[in-house]
Amino acid sequence: HNITNYVVMNYTANALLACGASPVMAHAAEEVEEMVSLAGALVLNIGTLSPLWVEAMLRAGRKANALRVPIVLDPVGSGATRLRTESAKRLTRELAIQVVRGNASEVLSLATQEARTKGVDSVHTVEEAEEAAIALAKELNTTLAITGKVDLITDGKRIRKVHNGHALMGMVTGTGCTATVMIGAFLAVDPDAVEATATALAYFGLAGENAAAQTKTPGTFQIALLDALFLINEKDLKDGAKIDAVR
């Protein structure tokens, strides 16, 4: 169940279908509780935010918590404006969220006023965010996934780094949001948030590598990425995943 932004709805739904999941994009407050009752995971994405959507997210999230349906939050642009930052913090404060995925600046904005984003582009590196992420994961009692050239996943105790991916993934809109929904799909079948997140990001990054081997331009890459998500099998993922268990 995705309460996500207008920019990515179609693409992320297609990506979920390609990986074998069953997506639904439902954001009306009048139906989100009923919809999340049918879901294996709930993805909350604040990319095209409005107060009504925040209330729908909270309503769906409370129901998900009651049913023990895992929640993934993508705090798109948090740190750039007061509405985004306060909304993301409210969601983490009022809901039990299993995974928060964002770039370094978005994730850091949940803890400090010093973090700033440039649109949805990070002005911090994953390396700069590592120690702060470990502390923040403990504070929020969640798993944080900071994506970049190397992805960092931590629950405050364990650390995984994922080295899969390709530069073209940053050349098309919505790949970060797509990484988030991949985490939701994997979390629906693996209750270990750290391992599910690391595997999802390795799978998505490997798909990016495979797609980039077929094309060198953003437009065709976006379609090739959907094909690559569909074509990767279990052996491909085992052989191609580049996951380091730091601790």
Side-chain angles (χ1 to χ4, degrees):
H1 178 192
N2 302 269
I3 303 178
T4 190
N5 72 73
Y6 291 123
V7 177
V8 303
M9 279 187 188
N10 178 265
Y11 191 81
T12 54
N14 284 328
L16 284 166
L17 287 170
C19 82
S22 298
V24 63
M25 276 57 185
H27 56 267
E30 293 80 3
E31 71 168 350
V32 292
E33 291 173 302
E34 184 179 359
M35 192 66 76
V36 81
S37 300
L38 307 173
L42 173 65
V43 174
L44 305 177
N45 179 308
I46 68 169
T48 49
L49 197 58
S50 73
L52 289 176
W53 277 37
V54 174
E55 292 306 317
M57 289 178 181
L58 287 166
R59 187 176 294 189
R62 293 185 190 109
K63 186 67 171 181
N65 284 169
L67 297 173
R68 297 187 178 181
V69 173
I71 301 174
V72 184
L73 171 65
D74 191 330
V76 179
S78 181
T81 70
R82 180 178 296 178
L83 174 64
R84 290 174 184 271
T85 308
E86 292 180 353
S87 297
K89 287 184 175 182
R90 184 181 177 192
L91 290 166
T92 59
R93 184 173 63 249
E94 297 188 22
L95 302 176
I97 294 173
Q98 278 62 51
V99 179
V100 177
R101 189 227 61 91
N103 65 41
S105 296
E106 290 165 343
V107 172
L108 289 178
S109 75
L110 301 178
T112 173
Q113 294 302 311
E114 296 178 359
R116 292 290 180 268
T117 55
K118 178 186 175 184
V120 296
D121 301 318
S122 179
V123 295
H124 296 84
T125 67
V126 173
E127 291 77 12
E128 290 171 338
E130 184 169 334
E131 290 305 316
I134 293 169
L136 182 58
K138 293 177 182 177
E139 177 187 334
L140 297 179
N141 192 30
T142 192
T143 293
L144 300 181
I146 299 178
T147 51
K149 187 174 181 180
V150 176
D151 302 329
L152 170 72
I153 301 102
T154 182
D155 61 358
K157 297 178 181 179
R158 292 176 290 169
I159 299 173
R160 302 288 183 269
K161 291 188 177 181
V162 177
H163 297 266
N164 292 98
H166 191 275
L168 273 173
M169 299 177 83
M171 298 296 292
V172 294
T173 298
T175 48
C177 300
T178 309
T180 301
V181 301
M182 290 295 109
I183 295 169
F186 277 66
L187 196 59
V189 295
D190 182 355
D192 186 323
V194 171
E195 299 302 337
T197 301
T199 309
L201 293 178
Y203 165 71
F204 187 55
L206 179 60
E209 295 168 14
N210 292 348
Q214 304 301 316
T215 178
K216 303 301 179 187
T217 53
T220 51
F221 173 80
Q222 192 173 35
I223 300 303
L225 182 57
L226 292 177
D227 292 340
L229 290 169
F230 179 77
L231 291 171
I232 290 174
N233 59 36
E234 184 176 355
K235 183 178 185 303
D236 295 332
L237 184 55
K238 284 183 177 180
D239 292 344
K242 303 169 186 172
I243 303 172
D244 286 343
V246 179
R247 72 176 192 226

